[in-house]
Amino acid sequence: MNNRIMYWLRRGLPILLLLIGPKLQADIVYPARLQLTETAPGVYEVFFVLPVIQGKILRAQAVFPEFCSSYSEPVTEVDSYQKKMRWQISCGENTLAGQQIGIDGLLGSQVDIMLEINTLDGRIYGSTLSPARAYYTIPEPPAFKDYVQIGTFPAGRFVLLQWGLAVLVLLYFLIFRNPDFRLLLITLSGGLALGFFLDHNEWLLVPSWAATLLPLGAAAVISLGAFVKKHTQNQAIGKTLIGICGVLAGAGFMEEGTPGGYTSAESGILLGFACLGFLLGTWILISIGRQTSRVLDLCPDSFRRTFILLFSGLALGAFLWQMSLFWVVPSMLPAIPLLLHSYILILVFWTFYSKVKMPDWVVWAGLIPGFVLGFSGLDIPYSPAIILSLQGALLLFIFFGKNPSKFWV
């Protein structure tokens, strides 16, 4: 009976997988934006785009400071979707810092307008104007106190508010008693700084739930090895997990409300002050964990062992509780392409039914160049069709029980 079931699974599921393909959908987007680019001192080129919805153009006008005046006549282009206007304004020797720029006429509409201001000194201001918030105040250039208020204090406070990370660090000290304080400090603070740097450059996008859920999962993992004899190896694994969780947590710092208009040099200074805050917050967090462990050292070993078991159970329970959110709100799960689902299932079939084993380095040899191409902004043309074709070929080999050569694999 089991052989018949496996036979039909081998014959039927590959056919179903062949039917899996990408769905192409097209969304109609009505882009609207106001872009100012400083081309000469005090002279800005204005690019204003309004949507055409059901044949009607939104009656809205750009509003600039009173000391700004038109420098050239607007050039207008209208099609079935957009109304584009280009002209220049002159603001003289006045600075735009502290002034308001906005849109008049958005009330009663549901259109959001993207605002972007580029200056000659490299500052880029961005915001989204809506009927409820139709004006944007250009911030002043940052001073020393701004770096401390925006970078150091929030970064230190951010670390102390990561309760999932606090549970992981405390459990690490409880299990391994007296780990290297300085190495752990460098690992966690360095991970936080690296995550913030990657997120600031938009090289790493982490969902908001990851900063709490993953440290709790890591705490549950290292608690499983609390009473295993390979103490040193488990400690290294725990330290690695703390560094990874630090990267994921740091990527969520200042995700919203980050001030705009910083030059590249000012962004670097802000990163340095944020790293100082990460270091201070991590030092306080690790110090609390170390002192808690030292207090428990004064208790009998049986009490310490029981406390570790209870705290590990608490971490596991908190992890399962956080995981329950995905059952309640399935939209929180990351969108995984169907091609990836089918590829994983095909690899499972290949493992069970093929006599030609696929080396692990083959998978990594494909993933690493793929990530490099993705970070570089390059794309392989017709990649979905190529992937479907290769998956179909593998399924045919599985279906007919043929074994291709290792070179073909």
Side-chain angles (χ1 to χ4, degrees), residues 380-391:
I380 300 176
Y382 305 106
S383 57
I386 295 174
I387 295 172
L388 281 176
S389 301
L390 295 177
Q391 290 185 8

Side-chain angles (χ1 to χ4, degrees), residues 155-176:
R157 183 174 179 269
F158 173 81
V159 176
L160 298 177
L161 290 178
Q162 300 301 308
W163 67 276
L165 201 60
V167 170
L168 176 60
V169 171
L170 180 57
L171 189 60
Y172 184 83
F173 271 97
L174 294 179
I175 294 176
F176 305 112

Side-chain angles (χ1 to χ4, degrees), residues 25-46:
Q25 298 179 349
D27 295 330
I28 300 177
V29 181
Y30 298 101
R33 71 176 184 269
L34 174 61
Q35 183 175 354
L36 279 74
T37 304
E38 189 175 11
T39 57
V43 179
Y44 296 86
E45 181 178 352
V46 182

Side-chain angles (χ1 to χ4, degrees), residues 136-201:
Y136 171 72
T137 302
I138 302 176
E140 299 283 348
F144 177 81
K145 64 177 183 178
D146 297 324
Y147 292 118
V148 177
Q149 293 177 354
I150 298 174
T152 303
F153 289 161
R157 183 174 179 269
F158 173 81
V159 176
L160 298 177
L161 290 178
Q162 300 301 308
W163 67 276
L165 201 60
V167 170
L168 176 60
V169 171
L170 180 57
L171 189 60
Y172 184 83
F173 271 97
L174 294 179
I175 294 176
F176 305 112
R177 294 199 176 230
N178 294 315
D180 191 338
F181 183 89
R182 290 177 296 180
L183 184 58
L184 187 60
L185 178 64
I186 295 174
T187 301
L188 182 53
S189 61
L192 290 165
L194 177 60
F196 173 55
F197 174 77
L198 294 176
D199 179 75
H200 181 74
N201 291 277

Side-chain angles (χ1 to χ4, degrees), residues 118-135:
N118 300 274
T119 62
L120 287 176
D121 55 0
R123 302 186 187 277
I124 300 177
Y125 303 93
S127 181
T128 300
L129 305 180
S130 62
R133 187 181 177 185
Y135 290 88

